[in-house]
């Protein structure tokens, strides 16, 4: 793996957030690296293709990158834009659907308002 790919991989892997390419680029620049923006995108694409990280495609928003490439769901807050891991809505995942088709990957994003944004608005919704 090239030096640039290793740096991008370490940045994604050390984050607890689902960062955008812009956020990753800012971290690269803070390390005094002279990497250009296109290289960040190319490195991210390579890491996704190799299965080392996961790209989360968000409608009308920048893609996010996740160090956890094990299949799981995400929640996107429509107020602050934060993306969070969410446990799958099924009890166990075998890798096959009800018709015995082998599932290799999937993408499920829940859209709503996160707890922090609800609290800022002073709204307390009871759990059902």
């Amino acid at each position: 793996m090239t030096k640039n790919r290793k740096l991008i991989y370490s940045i994604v892997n050390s984050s607890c957030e689902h960062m955008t390419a812009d956020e990753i680029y800012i971290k690269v620049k803070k390390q005094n690296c002279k990497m250009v923006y296109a290289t960040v995108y190319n490195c991210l694409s390579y890491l996704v293709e190799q299965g080392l990280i996961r790209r989360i495609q968000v409608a009308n928003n920048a893609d996010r990158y996740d160090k956890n490439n094990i299949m799981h769901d995400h929640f996107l807050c429509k107020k602050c834009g934060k993306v969070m891991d969410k446990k799958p809505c099924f009890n166990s995942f075998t890798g096959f659907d009800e018709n015995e088709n082998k599932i290799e990957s999937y993408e499920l994003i829940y859209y709503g308002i996160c707890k922090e944004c609800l609290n800022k608005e002073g709204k307390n919704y009871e759990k059902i």
Side-chain angles (χ1 to χ4, degrees):
M1 190 182 302
T2 67
K3 182 177 81 169
N4 289 341
R5 289 174 181 166
K6 285 180 184 176
L7 175 60
I8 300 297
Y9 183 65
S10 72
I11 289 171
V12 173
N13 238 3
S14 64
S15 175
C16 295
E17 302 294 321
H18 298 80
M19 294 190 298
T20 64
D22 290 344
E23 292 167 331
I24 294 166
Y25 180 72
I26 290 167
K27 288 197 179 266
V28 165
K29 287 300 179 188
K30 284 183 179 176
Q31 295 188 23
N32 292 322
C33 182
K34 299 197 184 303
M35 191 183 312
V36 297
Y37 202 71
T39 303
V40 171
Y41 271 106
N42 291 335
C43 289
L44 287 168
S45 292
Y46 173 83
L47 295 170
V48 169
E49 288 170 12
Q50 296 302 307
L52 298 171
I53 62 173
R54 187 173 175 189
R55 176 183 290 124
I56 305 165
Q57 296 177 311
V58 181
N60 302 320
N61 213 323
D63 290 350
R64 305 296 181 97
Y65 295 90
D66 191 348
K67 65 183 174 187
N68 183 357
N69 60 7
I70 296 170
M71 288 190 255
H72 62 283
D73 302 337
H74 292 95
F75 178 89
L76 171 71
C77 178
K78 296 188 307 183
K79 293 271 187 190
C80 67
K82 184 175 181 179
V83 175
M84 297 168 266
D85 289 340
K86 185 171 179 347
K87 290 183 182 177
C89 60
F90 43 80
N91 291 332
S92 65
F93 184 71
T94 62
F96 292 88
D97 67 10
E98 66 279 0
N99 297 317
E100 299 181 19
N101 299 309
K102 184 176 186 312
I103 299 171
E104 294 180 346
S105 67
Y106 76 95
E107 196 69 40
L108 180 60
I109 300 176
Y110 296 86
Y111 294 86
I113 302 171
C114 71
K115 182 179 174 179
E116 289 79 19
C117 287
L118 286 172
N119 287 338
K120 286 178 189 174
E121 293 178 1
K123 296 180 180 175
N124 294 319
Y125 293 99
E126 290 185 31
K127 294 180 184 175
I128 296 174

